[in-house]
Amino acid sequence: MPDHLPNLQALSLFVAVVDEGGLGAGARKLGMYQPNASRMIGQLETQAGVPLLDRSPRGARPTSAGLLYAAHARELLEAAGDFSAWLRHSRDEDTLDLRVGASMTIAENLMPAWLTDLRRSSPRVRVDLNVLNSTQVLEQVRSGELQLGFIETPHVPRWVHALSLRQDELVLVVASHHPWARRTEPVSIQELATTALVVREGGSGTRDAFEELVPQAASTPPVQQLSSNGAVRIAVASGAGPAVLSMLAVRTQLEAGQLVRVPVAGARLRRPLTAVWKGPRRLGGPAADLVAAATATTAATVSTTSTAADG
């Protein structure tokens, strides 16, 4: 590359000086100090071998050579702008976009680790994550708005392909001052079904799964119906009533003593966490990469949990 090729910033400055009618005004337009601007213009004139500006107390005006120089400078700056735009577009073409929907429990507690793992293995993939309830995720997968979804509901329609990632446990929690916090006997399924609970909104995977496991609960009016796990946790901690939430959503609050887990008689309340998609049964591309990351991270988490439990 020729060593006399002018600096693009200096060319931009010179064009600004010509357009603004003065060295100080041109420097201000580019956010430069005037002494630096004067030095930069001097270097351009040295390279050009002719005066480019006619300086006077009234300002700096381009010489005839300076006007021709400015015209060519504009062409070069425009070409440089086109090159920069092409370079940005080229980088964007290398990026693989993936539209994903995840129900709240998965989005809050599992998706961050999955996306971190995906970024390590597939740095070109850019995920557009939408946090929805399970019903909304399924609707948007069906319409094609989402390429991949993660749901918590046990109801997986036939028109969708599905892969179960792990089993999630639903637990009964109350505030530390709630009478159930001091119970010595587990709560029976019948008592749980007839108790007014703080619940998630209709269509959420947590609520659907609980009412699938305890059908009688669907006919008991809730004490509160809220649209997020965080809102349910706050309501329970304030004494609004018991709730049944994912262990993933309440583990931190249980460890901190903000909530208390109440045993439920009989089998554990479990539900699947599932990846869903349309199209070919065999996933490919970025969607397959994210499911692989979810599967690997989930397996590692389950293994760690099992080891801790055995210890």
Side-chain angles (χ1 to χ4, degrees), residues 210-233:
F210 174 62
E211 292 180 354
E212 168 88 4
L213 295 166
V214 186
Q216 310 96 304
S219 59
T220 301
V223 65
Q224 285 187 31
Q225 178 175 293
L226 302 168
S227 60
S228 72
N229 291 332
V232 173
R233 288 194 300 260

Side-chain angles (χ1 to χ4, degrees), residues 169-182:
E169 185 175 5
L170 299 179
V171 295
L172 174 62
V173 294
V174 297
S176 58
H177 55 274
H178 191 279
W180 283 6
R182 297 181 293 278

Side-chain angles (χ1 to χ4, degrees), residues 108-184:
E108 289 179 343
N109 301 281
L110 297 174
M111 188 61 72
W114 295 352
L115 294 179
T116 298
D117 195 48
L118 175 67
R119 186 165 184 80
R120 291 195 195 102
S121 61
S122 306
R124 294 171 56 211
V125 177
R126 180 172 57 197
V127 176
D128 178 13
L129 177 63
N130 297 270
V131 182
L132 309 162
N133 66 36
S134 292
T135 298
Q136 293 167 332
V137 170
L138 287 168
E139 288 172 352
Q140 293 194 22
V141 168
R142 185 168 199 167
S143 69
E145 294 175 69
L146 298 176
Q147 296 163 271
L148 181 65
F150 295 93
I151 61 173
E152 306 156 23
T153 179
H155 302 292
V156 179
R158 292 184 178 181
W159 52 262
V160 77
H161 301 307
L163 175 67
S164 180
L165 301 172
R166 64 179 286 178
Q167 290 292 308
D168 179 37
E169 185 175 5
L170 299 179
V171 295
L172 174 62
V173 294
V174 297
S176 58
H177 55 274
H178 191 279
W180 283 6
R182 297 181 293 278
R183 283 182 69 124
T184 56

